[in-house]
Amino acid sequence: MATEWDEFMQVEGFERLEESRKLSEDESKNDPDEEPFRSKYKAREILEEMKKKVENLLESHPDNEMLTFYKAAFSLKLGANYLDTEELTDAQEHMCKCLELLENYKLHQDACSVYINGLNNLGLLWTTRQKMDTALEYLQRAENLYQRYKEEVGGAPKSYSEYFKRAEEDAERKEHDRKNHLESTYTHTLYYLAQVYAKQDDKERAAKYCHTTLERQLDEHQYDPLDWSLNAATLSQYYVSVTDLAQARHCLASAEVIYQEAESRDSGSESDEVKEKLLQSKADMERCWAKYGLLLLEASQDRLYQGDDENTDRQMRDVEDKAIQRFNLEVTSHEEQITDKFVLDFTDARNVFLKVQQWLNSAKTFYAFDDRYRRGLQFDDGSETVNIEEGGGNPSIHAVKKVNSLIHQSLGKYQQFLDSFKDAKKEMPDKFPELDIRPALIAKFCMGRLFSKLIVPTVQDKIKCVKQTEECYKYVCDYCDINPEAAELVPQELGVCREMVALLPLKMEKLRQEADS
């Protein structure tokens, strides 16, 4: 029986799984807008076929551990597929089935990695549902299981990925890969925990897990330099908020070092998107440095105003004496740009002020980018002017091409800006940095207006444009519902969005009726 399964995997199974992987990871990127999950569905069919074959063998050999582990691995893989296609109920069912199959084997060398991956995926699923307490429960179980395995079993378990590819023949290499997979899986656990704690507004724990994640990514050489530097700079803002100047400065200095790595890697790129992302990351980092400097001046002023108050001085000493959690980087020259001690006289304060001014002036060279919002709005008005000048409802072919071309250019710029916020998985963040909330939401709002201005030939094209407009406006509404403080930043735009989200489905229905008539 085991031989039958092994032979099947060697002759056909691994090839089918590689086909499924290519469909899911590669070909899905080119799926058309009207069928966004076409390749994911094809990949699912292969996984279901493989799982069915395992189940058939298990009917004859219900106590076979290897087949049980394979069934669990396929259940989890299918769950991840359903999660990708936004079918959360089915995703949950398959993932929970994986855990159920492995419950009595979770410390087994061949099952532990699959079980931890299952817990991680369920944590991610419940985060998607905005059920943070449930997500936290699964992720804490993953954290605890990793620690138990390290303490009670030791070594590296068979990796989850080994169930879907041919085994590495070299024993030393296999052990190395297994260790890396386990540590990478645990790093993901910590990363997800940091996100959940942040959503629960537990800033201290979020910072702790974020710091550990960044530290592990560095040590394992598993990071994207631009993402890492941005996350480290963002982490500094927590330490700034609790007046932990030394830790905040170290995070910013580390971010700067890794940013230089990204700059060295990507500076030769001819892609405007890559160049712009580098520039924005640099400006964001400089803005974080400036906030650090301003906090330093404010805290120093407060300290001097409060005089020799015993409690205040003790609190300040506690922060100053706190050990710094250092990344494994040489950052001395970057830290020396600015002090991490409270300034005591005018000369010290002037030095800090000048450095802050330098960072802000440099950041402003990029944030002249904000002019694009104005240009976008000016163009939006301009496109209407073109329509009027061309004779109302019957614009010339030349005018249509001109208007549509300008709209697409503007849409491209807005999308390029929004893409700069995406994480390593190319997903938009659940929450934008504080100073970017209004610009990002305004960009989405303007995109909604621009889609509605496109001049298209068919009713189906009109329906598609209305749908894209609705999606943009709904994004603004959903963001403000999840983050109520954002509503205060875009009150007028939000009102328009809510009104249009209610009206646009009626407009689409009328267009559909027109198409059917």
Side-chain angles (χ1 to χ4, degrees):
M1 175 280 314
T3 302
E4 179 183 347
W5 175 256
D6 290 338
E7 287 178 354
F8 164 74
M9 291 300 291
Q10 293 299 325
V11 173
E12 181 183 349
F14 287 122
E15 288 185 9
R16 295 285 286 148
L17 288 171
E18 176 60 14
E19 181 184 350
S20 175
R21 186 200 66 77
K22 287 180 178 178
L23 282 165
S24 184
E25 297 179 13
D26 301 331
E27 295 185 27
S28 63
K29 297 175 183 176
N30 301 316
D31 284 348
D33 290 343
E34 60 271 18
E35 293 183 274
F37 301 130
R38 183 173 64 188
S39 296
K40 297 282 187 182
Y41 295 148
K42 290 180 180 178
R44 180 187 300 173
E45 291 175 4
I46 296 174
L47 294 173
E48 288 175 336
E49 167 196 317
M50 300 287 287
K51 181 169 174 281
K52 184 64 177 175
K53 189 169 185 66
V54 172
E55 289 173 339
N56 289 339
L57 287 170
L58 268 170
E59 287 180 3
S60 303
H61 305 82
D63 297 325
N64 186 275
E65 290 182 351
M66 182 193 70
L67 292 176
T68 299
F69 298 159
Y70 262 102
K71 182 179 178 181
F74 285 130
S75 294
L76 180 53
K77 198 75 168 176
L78 278 165
N81 178 283
Y82 278 101
L83 185 60
D84 287 343
T85 59
E86 301 172 7
E87 298 168 82
L88 301 188
T89 300
D90 289 323
Q92 180 186 347
E93 181 181 341
H94 282 284
M95 291 173 186
C96 287
K97 183 63 178 178
C98 168
L99 299 191
E100 178 187 326
L101 288 165
L102 299 182
E103 186 59 37
N104 296 327
Y105 301 99
K106 55 190 174 186
L107 286 173
H108 192 289
Q109 186 180 32
D110 291 346
C112 183
S113 178
V114 180
Y115 199 96
I116 294 176
N117 272 276
L119 292 169
N120 277 356
N121 274 271
L122 280 162
L124 189 59
L125 182 149
W126 286 103
T127 301
T128 302
R129 286 175 164 168
Q130 300 297 318
K131 300 291 186 181
M132 298 306 156
D133 289 342
T134 307
L136 185 61
E137 177 188 338
Y138 281 109
L139 294 171
Q140 287 175 333
R141 285 171 60 188
E143 181 183 26
N144 293 335
L145 180 55
Y146 166 86
Q147 293 169 349
R148 277 191 65 194
Y149 186 90
K150 297 282 281 189
E151 293 170 3
E152 299 176 24
V153 182
K158 180 176 180 177
S159 68
Y160 170 49
S161 62
E162 283 183 71
Y163 285 94
F164 309 103
K165 64 182 182 181
R166 297 184 190 277
E168 173 64 57
E169 296 296 330
D170 186 300
E172 186 175 336
R173 178 68 183 177
K174 180 189 290 187
E175 184 68 16
H176 177 268
D177 288 347
R178 286 181 172 183
K179 180 180 181 298
N180 284 348
H181 181 87
L182 176 64
E183 297 306 323
S184 177
T185 300
Y186 182 55
T187 299
H188 277 86
T189 302
L190 300 176
Y191 173 77
Y192 297 144
L193 280 166
Q195 304 306 306
V196 171
Y197 282 127
K199 290 176 186 295
Q200 292 184 320
D201 206 30
D202 188 340
K203 296 178 181 178
E204 185 175 357
R205 281 197 178 95
K208 170 191 169 185
Y209 278 92
C210 182
H211 195 288
T212 305
T213 299
L214 293 171
E215 190 173 45
R216 289 174 63 85
Q217 288 175 336
L218 270 184
D219 293 344
E220 296 163 14
H221 303 286
Q222 296 289 329
Y223 63 92
D224 176 86
L226 211 53
D227 288 336
W228 196 98
S229 64
L230 181 59
N231 287 331
T234 302
L235 177 60
S236 75
Q237 300 305 285
Y238 164 73
Y239 293 117
V240 164
S241 73
V242 295
T243 326
D244 190 341
L245 299 173
Q247 192 69 62
R249 185 181 72 163
H250 179 72
C251 287
L252 285 166
S254 300
E256 208 163 53
V257 168
I258 299 300
Y259 171 80
Q260 290 175 345
E261 183 181 325
E263 193 174 38
S264 175
R265 180 193 65 181
D266 296 333
S267 59
S269 172
E270 296 182 359
S271 166
D272 289 340
E273 183 178 354
V274 171
K275 291 177 182 176
E276 195 154 285
K277 197 165 185 178
L278 279 172
L279 289 172
Q280 172 158 10
S281 295
K282 183 173 184 289
D284 286 342
M285 194 159 47
E286 289 168 334
R287 195 173 56 177
C288 288
W289 271 118
K291 288 176 72 175
Y292 166 88
L294 290 171
L295 180 279
L296 173 58
L297 291 174
E298 290 172 2
S300 298
Q301 174 182 273
D302 291 344
R303 184 172 186 258
L304 290 171
Y305 282 164
Q306 290 167 350
D308 295 326
D309 180 85
E310 184 178 341
N311 291 329
T312 301
D313 279 352
R314 185 172 63 251
Q315 291 171 1
M316 296 299 184
R317 283 196 300 272
D318 288 343
V319 171
E320 291 177 336
D321 294 341
K322 185 178 179 181
I324 300 176
Q325 294 175 280
R326 291 193 170 274
F327 297 114
N328 189 23
L329 294 168
E330 175 48 58
V331 297
T332 304
S333 61
H334 297 269
E335 289 184 334
E336 288 176 347
Q337 297 178 90
I338 190 170
T339 183
D340 65 345
K341 307 300 181 187
F342 295 103
V343 296
L344 301 176
D345 54 35
F346 176 79
T347 301
D348 291 341
R350 182 176 184 275
N351 290 336
V352 171
F353 172 80
L354 291 174
K355 194 63 186 177
V356 168
Q357 189 177 53
Q358 178 185 328
W359 281 317
L360 289 175
N361 286 336
S362 179
K364 279 196 301 186
T365 62
F366 174 81
Y367 281 105
F369 175 77
D370 282 346
D371 287 340
R372 286 189 190 158
Y373 304 135
R374 289 192 287 275
R375 287 203 295 274
L377 291 170
Q378 288 165 356
F379 158 66
D380 201 5
D381 292 335
S383 67
E384 294 181 30
T385 302
V386 169
N387 283 334
I388 293 170
E389 292 174 346
E390 293 295 332
N394 297 299
S396 68
I397 294 176
H398 172 74
V400 169
K401 287 183 176 179
K402 179 180 178 182
V403 169
N404 284 351
S405 174
L406 289 170
I407 289 175
H408 283 300
Q409 287 178 38
S410 192
L411 284 169
K413 291 298 182 183
Y414 284 129
Q415 190 60 57
Q416 197 174 58
F417 170 60
L418 291 170
D419 285 346
S420 69
F421 293 102
K422 290 184 177 179
D423 59 21
K425 293 184 177 181
K426 305 301 181 184
E427 296 176 352
M428 291 293 286
D430 294 321
K431 192 167 186 177
F432 295 106
E434 182 181 352
L435 295 181
D436 292 317
I437 295 173
R438 176 173 168 78
L441 295 181
I442 292 295
K444 206 69 175 175
F445 173 76
C446 289
M447 288 179 71
R449 292 189 66 192
L450 289 168
F451 278 122
S452 71
K453 303 295 182 186
L454 282 167
I455 304 172
V456 292
T458 70
V459 174
Q460 290 301 327
D461 288 331
K462 291 178 182 177
I463 292 173
K464 185 177 179 180
C465 289
V466 174
K467 183 65 176 173
Q468 289 170 313
T469 293
E470 181 189 36
E471 288 174 356
C472 290
Y473 290 155
K474 189 173 186 302
Y475 181 92
V476 177
C477 295
D478 290 346
Y479 186 94
C480 292
D481 288 341
I482 295 170
N483 305 285
E485 68 279 5
E488 301 175 6
L489 301 175
V490 287
Q492 294 178 336
E493 294 80 7
L494 179 59
V496 172
C497 288
R498 293 200 189 283
E499 181 179 351
M500 295 308 293
V501 165
L503 294 175
L504 288 174
L506 299 175
K507 183 174 182 179
M508 279 190 283
E509 183 57 33
K510 288 182 180 178
L511 287 170
R512 290 191 186 100
Q513 292 174 3
E514 180 183 336
D516 293 338
S517 62

